[in-house]
């Protein structure tokens, strides 16, 4: 029997940290911070190797025919060039024709960075790039594991070390955006010892009010009443204001209410409700614990807590505790 035909493998993706100047580089993903890091790295490496670097930005959305040939042609002083073609997801036919022509015969002395955030527009050009370009993975770290890996890699790149439990704590504390996480790493790399431990991360970031609030809200929504109340009481002991706590509970429950029972994809829903797709996915998973009645009761408890922490009560902490308990014990009928 003839051997079974193997399905063509997807092109290998290289970590964005390992980017090197070459004629064609495709940055695949939507993280603006990582894209900027790639661009800066390419510029710095070209300057180091060749003494200078002329950087040109091209928008795929309003591309005019012939522009690519102009920006990649040799300059008067023959400066090395880095051309960044942004937002391929919004490209139109003009760029498709010029791009295919250029990718088939790129200038070996010019580095062209193509940025594509997703979707199938310009698939022919993307396929051509995937065959001949260095393909970089620029998806933002979303899961706790990805964020922890990002932190570990940031320290490794600077010749320092962070203990794994400290990396997890840092990712949990400031992991809302890649830029914010990178800034926290940079601060600890600059100010901290050769090895950063959990105590140092707690010292710098453990007391952040919004972090504490979201930890409590996450535990409550997950149905972990003991953990949520313990975290909340610890927060009260160190003087955390109840207002951001209620705001965190409210934002989580509102997103659950908006996504409960929805059948659409996370991307489309995210646009409708003004949240990130990963937040919608998480809320859809969390919503499975709640009945419609649970959601209504939780939103009512949050509204009461909100009124009381904003002046309607002398004992706002009890109202917050009640809201946490109502949310955490939902589904325990």
């Amino acid at each position: 029997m003839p051997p079974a035909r193997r399905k063509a493998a997807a092109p290998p993706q290289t970590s964005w940290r390992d980017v090197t100047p070459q004629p064609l580089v495709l940055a695949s993903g939507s993280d603006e911070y990582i894209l900027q890091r790639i661009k800066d790295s390419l510029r710095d490496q070209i300057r180091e190797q060749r003494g200078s670097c002329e950087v040109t930005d091209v928008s795929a959305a309003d591309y005019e025919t012939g522009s690519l040939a102009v920006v990649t042609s040799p300059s008067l002083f023959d400066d090395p060039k880095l051309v960044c073609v942004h937002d391929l997801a919004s490209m139109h036919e003009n760029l498709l024709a010029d791009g295919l022509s250029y990718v088939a015969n790129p200038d070996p002395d010019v580095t062209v960075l193509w940025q594509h955030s997703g979707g199938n527009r310009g698939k022919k050009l993307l396929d051509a790039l995937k065959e001949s370009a260095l393909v970089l993975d620029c998806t933002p770290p979303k899961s706790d594991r990805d964020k922890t890996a990002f932190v570990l890699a940031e320290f490794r790149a600077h010749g320092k070390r962070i203990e794994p439990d400290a990396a997890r704590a840092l990712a949990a504390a400031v992991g809302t955006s890649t830029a914010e996480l990178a800034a926290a790493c940079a601060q600890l790399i600059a100010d901290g010892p050769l090895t950063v431990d959990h105590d140092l991360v707690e010292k710098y970031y453990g007391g952040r009010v919004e972090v504490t609030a979201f930890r409590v809200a996450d535990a409550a929504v997950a149905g972990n009443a003991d953990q949520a109340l313990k975290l909340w009481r610890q927060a009260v002991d160190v003087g955390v204001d109840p207002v951001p706590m209620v705001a965190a509970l409210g934002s989580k429950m509102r997103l659950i209410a908006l996504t409960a029972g929805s059948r659409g994809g996370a991307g489309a829903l995210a646009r409708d409700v003004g949240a990130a797709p990963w937040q919608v996915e998480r809320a859809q998973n969390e919503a499975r614990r709640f009945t419609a009645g649970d959601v209504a009761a939780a939103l009512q408890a949050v509204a009461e807590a909100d009124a009381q922490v904003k002046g309607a009560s002398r004992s706002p902490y009890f109202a917050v505790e009640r809201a946490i308990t109502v949310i955490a014990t939902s589904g325990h009928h």
Side-chain angles (χ1 to χ4, degrees):
M1 275 181 68
R5 287 183 63 188
R6 290 180 63 185
K7 197 176 173 186
Q13 291 201 342
T14 303
S15 165
W16 59 269
R17 295 175 186 278
D18 300 326
V19 64
T20 52
Q22 42 202 287
L24 300 171
V25 180
L26 173 62
S28 179
S30 59
D31 194 301
E32 290 294 332
Y33 174 78
I34 291 175
L35 290 165
Q36 189 61 47
R37 285 274 291 264
I38 290 168
K39 187 175 167 182
D40 293 348
S41 176
L42 285 170
R43 181 200 63 208
D44 294 347
Q45 289 182 64
I46 292 167
R47 279 182 184 160
E48 202 172 301
Q49 292 166 10
R50 301 173 62 186
S52 65
C53 179
E54 181 186 319
V55 182
T56 310
D57 289 295
V58 175
S59 167
D62 45 27
Y63 178 84
E64 291 180 9
T65 301
S67 302
L68 194 58
V70 172
V71 295
T72 53
S73 60
S75 62
L76 187 61
F77 301 105
D78 214 19
D79 286 328
K81 291 188 166 191
L82 169 61
V83 176
C84 305
V85 185
H86 297 279
D87 199 17
L88 285 182
S90 302
M91 66 180 287
H92 44 69
E93 294 301 311
N94 299 355
L95 178 58
L96 181 60
D98 283 5
L100 283 168
S101 168
Y102 186 83
V103 170
N105 187 25
D107 187 322
D109 291 324
V110 177
T111 294
V112 183
L113 170 63
W114 308 78
Q115 180 259 315
H116 183 249
S117 58
N120 284 322
R121 186 174 282 195
K123 187 172 183 305
K124 263 190 190 168
L125 177 55
L126 287 171
D127 289 345
L129 280 166
K130 285 171 185 175
E131 280 184 24
S132 50
L134 170 68
V135 182
L136 302 174
D137 179 6
C138 303
T139 49
K142 291 179 185 173
S143 69
D144 291 342
R145 181 186 291 178
D146 288 348
K147 290 172 187 173
T148 302
F150 177 91
V151 171
L152 292 166
E154 286 288 280
F155 276 77
R156 208 164 33 242
H158 290 85
K160 287 201 170 184
R161 186 175 174 275
I162 180 167
E163 291 177 356
D165 63 338
R168 282 192 291 274
L170 186 62
V174 287
T176 49
S177 77
T178 316
E180 206 180 333
L181 194 52
C185 290
Q187 183 181 12
L188 287 168
I189 287 164
D191 301 345
L194 270 175
T195 298
V196 169
D197 62 13
H198 189 274
D199 287 348
L200 189 67
V201 170
E202 277 295 308
K203 181 181 163 191
Y204 270 79
Y205 295 103
R208 287 175 52 148
V209 169
E210 65 274 29
V211 172
T212 306
F214 279 104
R215 276 189 197 152
V216 175
D218 285 346
V221 165
N224 194 336
D226 290 347
Q227 174 76 353
L229 291 170
K230 180 183 166 195
L231 285 167
W232 167 238
R233 285 163 191 159
Q234 286 172 350
V236 172
D237 287 345
V238 295
V240 166
D241 191 299
V243 172
M245 181 66 254
V246 176
L249 289 169
S251 71
K252 296 247 348 154
M253 285 313 306
R254 276 190 292 277
L255 198 51
I256 285 170
L258 288 166
T259 57
S262 56
R263 295 179 181 275
L269 264 172
R271 282 192 295 277
D272 292 344
V273 301
W278 67 267
Q279 289 173 312
V280 169
E281 277 177 28
R282 185 171 179 175
Q284 284 174 316
N285 289 330
E286 289 167 338
R288 293 189 184 118
R289 263 193 64 239
F290 297 86
T291 64
D294 290 335
V295 172
L299 288 171
Q300 178 65 33
V302 169
E304 286 169 10
D306 188 56
Q308 298 200 23
V309 299
K310 289 176 179 170
S313 164
R314 289 184 186 169
S315 175
Y317 295 96
F318 177 74
V320 176
E321 195 153 306
R322 184 178 173 276
I324 291 168
T325 305
V326 168
I327 292 168
T329 55
S330 291
H332 298 182
H333 304 303

